[in-house]
Amino acid sequence: EDQVTQSPEALRLQEGESSSLNCSYTVSGLRGLFWYRQDPGKGPEFLFTLYSAGEEKEKERLKATLTKKESFLHITAPKPEDSATYLCAVLGAAGNKLTFGGGTRVLVKP
Amino acid sequence: EAQVTQNPRYLITVTGKKLTVTCSQNMNHEYMSWYRQDPGLGLRQIYYSMNVEVTDKGDVPEGYKVSRKEKRNFPLILESPSPNQTSLYFCASRQQGPSYNSPLHFGNGTRLTVT
């Protein structure tokens, strides 16, 4: 069974204080690892897909990386608008569902 | 605008009173799915549909039904809701594609309370 564990559960940062979120996973036949952002009262919003170890993707202050066992979401010089819950999910060999981690709640204080 | 639309956004009901949560997408996606999100348990898949008239159970299907009569619509039916179905529900869709790895697009959720 596919499993995803995210750490830490919560992260408080000062504006400009860079940090990393971890996503550890076990999956049979990785078709893709996905990062989403979720704001309170809204549905998850797609950020990145990573397909193979060594791959990196960037978007503004966010950078996602992938190894065979984990993914990192690096937040560089965060701003208060980066405050959200970040979700990691894997798509396994069957291709019929995303398995999500519990998320990391990020709060960036000005 | 490309979107997944769920209705209602908020719903309070009583045990045993049948209800339907509607979901519609305007992106011509083959694949649609329902998830529930609970504190400490994250997002868990209830049902999914690979295409019209094709549905299958996810991880937590008990107490739920779905139908896929048209490509754009995927309603979630609770025939006899119980308090343990109080949750935040999300509908999602994606292109099917040969690798199945297109990103899921989510609706804004339906917060259901069953008393």
Side-chain angles (χ1 to χ4, degrees):
Chain A
E1 186 176 327
D2 302 340
Q3 289 191 326
V4 179
T5 303
Q6 290 187 247
S7 62
E9 287 188 13
L11 192 58
R12 293 168 69 102
L13 300 171
Q14 286 297 129
E15 184 172 1
E17 179 189 359
S18 301
S19 188
S20 294
L21 284 55
N22 177 265
C23 170
S24 297
Y25 65 92
T26 55
V27 64
S28 57
L30 181 70
R31 288 182 179 268
L33 184 140
F34 299 80
W35 282 98
Y36 285 84
R37 169 192 171 123
Q38 186 175 21
D39 293 301
K42 295 200 167 183
E45 177 187 341
F46 171 70
L47 292 172
F48 305 109
T49 310
L50 302 166
Y51 298 104
S52 58
E55 191 174 0
E56 299 182 351
K57 292 266 179 82
E58 281 188 73
K59 181 179 180 179
E60 295 181 359
R61 295 174 294 282
L62 301 177
K63 179 180 176 180
T65 62
L66 181 65
T67 72
K68 287 188 177 178
K69 293 188 175 181
E70 54 191 352
S71 176
F72 292 93
L73 184 66
H74 307 278
I75 309 178
T76 302
K79 298 182 177 182
E81 52 261 44
D82 295 321
S83 298
T85 296
Y86 291 87
L87 300 169
C88 171
V90 295
L91 182 68
N96 55 14
K97 71 169 185 182
L98 283 183
T99 299
F100 282 85
T104 295
R105 272 191 332 275
V106 174
L107 176 63
V108 182
K109 305 194 97 177
Chain B
E1 180 190 351
Q3 58 186 3
V4 178
T5 303
Q6 296 178 228
N7 281 296
R9 289 295 310 278
Y10 301 92
L11 181 56
I12 300 173
T13 190
V14 295
T15 299
K17 186 176 181 182
K18 181 179 178 179
L19 65 91
T20 299
V21 183
T22 64
C23 173
S24 180
Q25 51 93 5
N26 62 1
M27 295 169 281
N28 202 35
H29 287 167
E30 293 86 3
Y31 178 97
M32 297 185 75
S33 183
W34 278 100
Y35 283 81
R36 62 179 287 176
Q37 187 173 38
D38 301 288
L41 297 175
L43 281 155
R44 295 177 293 167
Q45 190 185 54
I46 303 170
Y47 267 94
Y48 67 95
S49 170
M50 293 286 207
N51 213 326
V52 176
E53 301 291 2
V54 180
T55 63
D56 210 342
K57 296 177 181 178
D59 294 324
V60 288
E62 295 77 21
Y64 304 95
K65 283 176 59 177
V66 292
S67 69
R68 189 89 183 274
K69 292 183 168 51
E70 308 164 277
K71 199 172 189 179
R72 65 183 293 126
N73 296 323
F74 191 44
L76 180 69
I77 303 155
L78 285 73
E79 298 227 327
S80 184
S82 62
N84 65 12
Q85 293 178 297
T86 293
S87 186
L88 180 58
Y89 291 85
F90 289 102
C91 180
S93 71
R94 69 156 198 249
Q95 288 181 330
Q96 189 65 318
S99 301
Y100 301 159
N101 54 12
S102 299
L104 272 180
H105 298 264
F106 285 84
N108 274 332
T110 295
R111 185 167 292 283
L112 172 65
T113 302
V114 184
T115 61

